[in-house]
Amino acid sequence: MKLNPVYDPKTLNQSKVYMIEGTRYRYVRTEGNGKNAKYVFSPLPNQRKTSNISLNNTKLSIKCQSVEGMTCQPPKNQNVIQMGFL
């Protein structure tokens, strides 16, 4: 598994897999713009961590690495309807 550091947030892609502190994540979205932008990542299934994390530009270049050769598909939105019996 080859890891490449992410220095430029413009290279973030939702189909790539990223390693952050030993956990595999996928890129979800960018919140804010300019200097105060936050980059939100969601853990892949079967990872210990289950919550989203957000990194600013500085932490992105320090902690985030792209995993070469691994891709993921964004999860499909599932609508769940709970029905109750009266």
Side-chain angles (χ1 to χ4, degrees):
M1 176 169 50
K2 184 174 180 187
L3 302 174
N4 299 321
V6 177
Y7 295 117
D8 187 10
K10 294 176 185 174
T11 62
L12 294 174
N13 190 342
Q14 291 186 343
S15 64
K16 288 184 180 179
V17 175
Y18 297 94
M19 182 77 72
I20 302 171
E21 297 179 341
T23 304
R24 285 181 258 152
Y25 289 90
R26 70 177 182 85
Y27 170 69
V28 179
R29 67 183 176 275
T30 302
E31 294 179 348
N33 56 10
K35 200 172 186 180
N36 297 325
K38 299 275 186 182
Y39 306 98
V40 180
F41 293 86
S42 175
L44 294 179
N46 301 326
Q47 297 292 308
R48 267 189 110 146
K49 297 183 181 178
T50 57
S51 60
N52 291 351
I53 63 168
S54 62
L55 302 174
N56 62 15
N57 199 12
T58 305
K59 288 190 179 184
L60 180 74
S61 62
I62 294 171
K63 295 182 177 185
C64 186
Q65 299 171 325
S66 66
V67 180
E68 192 171 302
M70 288 185 74
T71 60
C72 65
Q73 295 178 351
K76 298 175 184 172
N77 291 340
Q78 296 180 356
N79 295 332
V80 178
I81 300 173
Q82 183 175 358
M83 298 178 71
F85 294 104
L86 298 176

